[in-house]
Amino acid sequence: MTTRRLVISRSAVLVGAASTGLLRPSSARAQSGRVRVGLMLPYTGTYAQLGVAIENGVRMAIDQQGGLLGGRAIEWFKVDDESEPGKGVENASKLVQRDKVDVLIGTVHSGVQMGIQKVARDTGVLNLIPNAGVHAATRALCCANVFRTSFSNAQPTLALGKAMVDRGHRRAVWITWKYAAGDEAFEGFKQSYTAAGGSIVKELGLPFPNVEFQALLTEIAALKPDAVACFFAGGGAAKFIRDYVAAGLKNKIALYGSGFLTEGMLDAAGPAAEGIITTMHYSDSLDTPRNKQFRLEYAKTFRSQPDVYAVQGYDTGLLLVQGANAVKGDLSAKPALYKALEAAVIDSPRGKWRMSRAHNPVQDIYLRRVENGENKVIRAGGHGRATRSAGHARPAPWLRHCFARAS
Ligand code: PHB
């Protein structure tokens, strides 16, 4: 589809949806009173820390911009989604139907996001995704009112395969939690690793959020690959790293991962994490005034070090402020709001980025190594930049219908 046709279909949809009232859930409240902001994040379970970091980031960005959205104060609503996909629709509906939020910020877990996605499509509520990378959100089920500020699941691993082969690791085992985040991370890994000449010896998995890794680590030891690549995150990632060392594999089989493996977990994993190489759209050590200032401010405010989740939350806050300011706080002015969100340039600690046409960040992916308890950019080859990525390697066929059913 040409750009022109895309633009026409997008605005036609917006006009159509507006005339049916689908885009007016908050028009009665607009411009007066407080903006109702819903946070649907995990505050318990293996991803609890991720939810907290995201909320911290969102609040910090908005506070830094004066604490208002387009001149209006904020009323916050919170739901703990427990990373439980079975409750996704119910929890999102609580925020949209009961609390009547103007914007729903959430979530972390790809399966839970599928519930939010349904509610967002059914009601037209603005949804900003601060983490969940599920491909459908910006592909098959993408829509005008959903914007992602994080990544798509294959985005980091599309940069991983070549980096491993470049280091001489040609036979790899892949291991992950078996759900969309792990399976789609594998897609990116498989594509990049095999294209670079690597071969995947075996694909291993266990259900989310199971952390009984022992039997699988024994299998890896028997397979004797050159390297292991994985997707794990949150509390489970720290346990995987510690178990990997305890199984005696660390000095025998190089461990690589999608960068979530070493995000926010370096204190918990301790020395076991040293030397792990990962690919990610952020690195603690990015040597820019923007990142340094962000890290300082975050540490001062929350008495903890920020990670990629804090950055994604922060960028979500920046995006929301830009959108709300463009419509002077009237979040029911949907076409103007979406236009502003689509045009936004986010001056992020990860580096400046903007939305792809399907509402996913186009961003740099960095190659990092854990050194002295920090994710450091590997400086070889310029800026350690592994690739600039929109989250997909080929032209995006899903854009054809992307906005055709937006509501
Ligand atoms: C996801 O489920 O999409 C997900 C969860 C945690 C991460 C990354 C992706 O760190």
Side-chain angles (χ1 to χ4, degrees):
M1 173 183 264
T2 64
T3 307
R4 196 176 123 71
R5 278 178 59 203
L6 177 78
V7 169
I8 289 169
S9 67
R10 251 192 228 184
S11 35
V13 166
L14 289 174
V15 170
S19 66
T20 62
L22 278 173
L23 298 182
R24 288 190 285 110
S26 58
S27 57
R29 292 186 310 279
Q31 295 177 85
S32 63
R34 290 186 283 175
V35 181
R36 301 164 84 87
V37 178
L39 294 170
M40 178 164 155
L41 294 166
Y43 294 105
T44 51
T46 198
Y47 288 161
Q49 207 175 309
L50 285 56
V52 171
I54 288 169
E55 178 175 345
N56 288 348
V58 170
R59 287 183 184 266
M60 184 171 134
I62 296 175
D63 284 350
Q64 284 181 349
Q65 308 288 317
L68 301 176
L69 291 175
R72 293 167 67 196
I74 300 171
E75 185 167 1
W76 297 92
F77 298 85
K78 277 171 71 162
V79 167
D80 175 8
D81 70 33
E82 306 164 47
S83 295
E84 176 50 66
K87 297 184 190 165
V89 168
E90 182 191 334
N91 281 329
S93 299
K94 275 185 199 158
L95 288 170
V96 176
Q97 310 295 353
R98 182 192 65 191
D99 301 330
K100 310 231 175 313
V101 297
D102 297 298
V103 50
L104 191 166
I105 297 176
T107 188
V108 167
H109 185 287
S110 278
V112 180
Q113 179 59 36
M114 290 302 279
I116 296 180
Q117 200 79 17
K118 173 163 176 32
V119 172
R121 287 166 65 89
D122 288 351
T123 64
V125 73
L126 174 63
N127 171 217
L128 305 182
I129 311 174
N131 186 74
V134 62
H135 287 172
T138 53
R139 296 189 191 179
L141 298 177
C142 61
C143 58
N145 50 308
V146 175
F147 293 80
R148 180 150 55 199
T149 58
S150 50
F151 57 89
S152 62
N153 282 327
Q155 220 168 356
T157 42
L158 273 170
L160 185 61
K162 182 166 183 321
M164 289 173 64
V165 172
D166 285 350
R167 279 166 181 71
H169 296 134
R170 294 184 162 273
R171 291 177 66 252
V173 165
W174 170 262
I175 180 167
T176 191
W177 279 316
K178 289 297 293 172
Y179 80 103
D183 292 343
E184 293 174 353
F186 178 64
E187 266 178 54
F189 173 65
K190 185 176 174 189
Q191 186 175 324
S192 60
Y193 193 59
T194 54
S199 73
I200 298 166
V201 179
K202 188 138 195 197
E203 200 194 326
L204 298 172
L206 69 174
F208 173 88
N210 191 325
V211 290
E212 299 308 318
F213 300 117
Q214 201 47 56
L216 296 171
L217 291 171
T218 304
E219 192 173 346
I220 290 172
L223 287 164
K224 295 192 175 51
D226 297 339
V228 169
C230 66
F231 166 85
F232 291 110
K239 169 117 184 356
F240 180 74
I241 292 170
R242 286 195 308 265
D243 288 3
Y244 197 84
V245 173
L249 297 180
K250 177 144 193 230
N251 297 322
K252 292 191 193 137
I253 304 170
L255 178 58
Y256 290 83
S258 172
F260 306 109
L261 180 67
T262 56
E263 282 297 323
M265 291 300 140
L266 291 176
D267 287 345
E274 287 293 303
I276 296 176
I277 293 179
T278 61
T279 42
M280 179 94 302
H281 46 281
Y282 178 66
S283 169
D284 307 339
S285 76
L286 287 178
D287 192 12
T288 61
R290 186 76 181 100
N291 187 42
K292 286 183 174 160
Q293 171 220 348
F294 165 77
R295 295 193 68 84
L296 208 66
E297 189 71 29
Y298 187 98
K300 239 176 31 196
T301 310
F302 302 109
R303 308 249 160 254
S304 64
Q305 290 301 316
D307 53 22
V308 74
Y309 308 106
V311 171
Q312 292 166 180
Y314 186 75
D315 291 3
T316 305
L318 293 181
L319 179 69
L320 183 55
V321 168
Q322 282 197 40
N325 286 351
V327 294
K328 300 193 170 48
D330 180 4
L331 267 61
S332 69
K334 302 277 184 175
L337 176 61
Y338 299 160
K339 211 168 143 211
L341 297 174
E342 283 169 353
V345 176
I346 304 300
D347 187 10
S348 168
R350 71 181 104 163
K352 280 193 182 152
W353 64 268
R354 47 192 312 165
M355 293 286 168
S356 72
R357 285 189 295 162
H359 299 176
N360 193 66
V362 179
Q363 58 192 335
D364 291 331
I365 305 292
Y366 300 96
L367 188 61
R368 311 117 35 105
R369 179 168 41 222
V370 179
E371 284 172 18
N372 302 319
E374 240 198 16
N375 285 298
K376 291 246 165 65
V377 175
I378 297 175
R379 288 268 161 209
H383 300 293
R385 203 181 258 185
T387 177
R388 179 96 186 161
S389 163
H392 49 84
R394 289 183 222 93
W398 53 87
L399 277 175
R400 192 183 305 277
H401 63 262
C402 200
F403 299 94
R405 300 181 45 209
S407 57

